[in-house]
Amino acid sequence: MKKEYGFILIAYVIMQLSSYIGVPLVLLIGTFMGKSTVEMQSLSIPYWLVISFSTTLIIILYLLRNEMKTGTEIRNVAPVPTSISWAIFGIFLALFAQTVAANIELALGIETGSENTEQIIQLIETFPIVILISSVIGPILEEIVFRKIIFGSLHKRLGFFLSALISSVIFALAHFEPEHVILYSAMGFTFAYLYVKTKRILVPIFAHVAMNTMVVLVQSVFREDLERMIKEAEQIQSFIGGFFL
């Protein structure tokens, strides 16, 4: 593993653990500047998310600057038109993998719905800029760390399946929802496949960003419209069912 990759992993781990110090620090600074404690308690987490994720992305891009300039990190990359096709197809592939994994978890008696996602949606409703973290910066960081570095390093020695399995399980556990390890691992396999197929990290990044954006939009911006459509569908179904009784 390259020295820069080691520094990137360290930066990512520090970011994940930084909230234990960063959130109280933001709360302290806010109250010192005259903000009420109640107000800062609701804003300290989203403030620190924006600060920590943005800072980490800048650090990681700086560490990868030489690779991005030379473009020699991976040879035999897929042509641009092919990569674009896989990036678009990858969105539907990821959604399909997510649906299959969710049904498997449901069959195993695991409750549907992610507590992680619900917390993010609540943060977005309080502090809309968090959508930039959940839909753009977060996926970029995850693809660089879990696909480019962890999966990429393992793939050189272990082949696709085993390296995808290990990196996907690590990816799942990093979301701190072990009950949904199948769901997150399915996503990890999908993004790893897109990376191997095209040799371009931008392809799984695009698919991941698009999928997260769709999930956030459906569960936040269009939540009321979706709930209304479901209720209307249920009413129509009840009416038709009653008509034929």
Side-chain angles (χ1 to χ4, degrees), residues 58 82 110 220 241:
I58 293 170
T82 303
I110 301 172
S220 59

Side-chain angles (χ1 to χ4, degrees), residues 130-232:
V130 172
I131 195 172
L132 183 66
I133 305 301
S134 64
S135 297
V136 181
I137 297 178
I140 292 174
L141 292 177
E142 289 179 344
E143 291 309 309
I144 291 174
V145 169
F146 295 103
R147 249 61 67 186
K148 179 181 176 63
I149 296 179
I150 298 178
F151 168 76
S153 299
L154 292 172
H155 187 249
K156 295 176 182 178
R157 302 176 178 84
L158 303 177
F160 175 77
F161 182 81
L162 195 55
S163 55
L165 178 62
I166 295 172
S167 61
S168 296
V169 170
I170 296 173
F171 171 67
L173 295 177
H175 285 81
F176 303 104
E177 287 187 304
E179 67 275 16
H180 292 303
V181 65
I182 297 175
L183 184 65
Y184 286 114
S185 294
M187 310 310 316
F189 261 91
T190 302
F191 298 135
Y193 176 76
L194 293 174
Y195 185 36
V196 165
K197 196 70 179 178
T198 62
K199 306 295 190 298
R200 293 181 186 270
I201 194 60
L202 286 177
V203 173
I205 283 177
F206 178 85
H208 197 162
V209 166
M211 194 194 73
N212 276 27
T213 301
M214 290 172 61
V215 170
V216 168
L217 289 177
V218 167
Q219 296 197 26
S220 59
V221 179
F222 301 119
R223 175 183 287 185
E224 293 182 0
D225 293 334
L226 184 63
E227 290 176 349
R228 177 177 52 79
M229 290 171 61
I230 292 173
K231 288 180 180 178
E232 290 177 355

Side-chain angles (χ1 to χ4, degrees), residues 24-37 40:
L25 182 62
V26 171
L27 178 61
L28 181 63
I29 293 173
T31 52
F32 179 77
M33 294 177 65
K35 299 285 186 179
S36 68
T37 303
M40 287 309 302

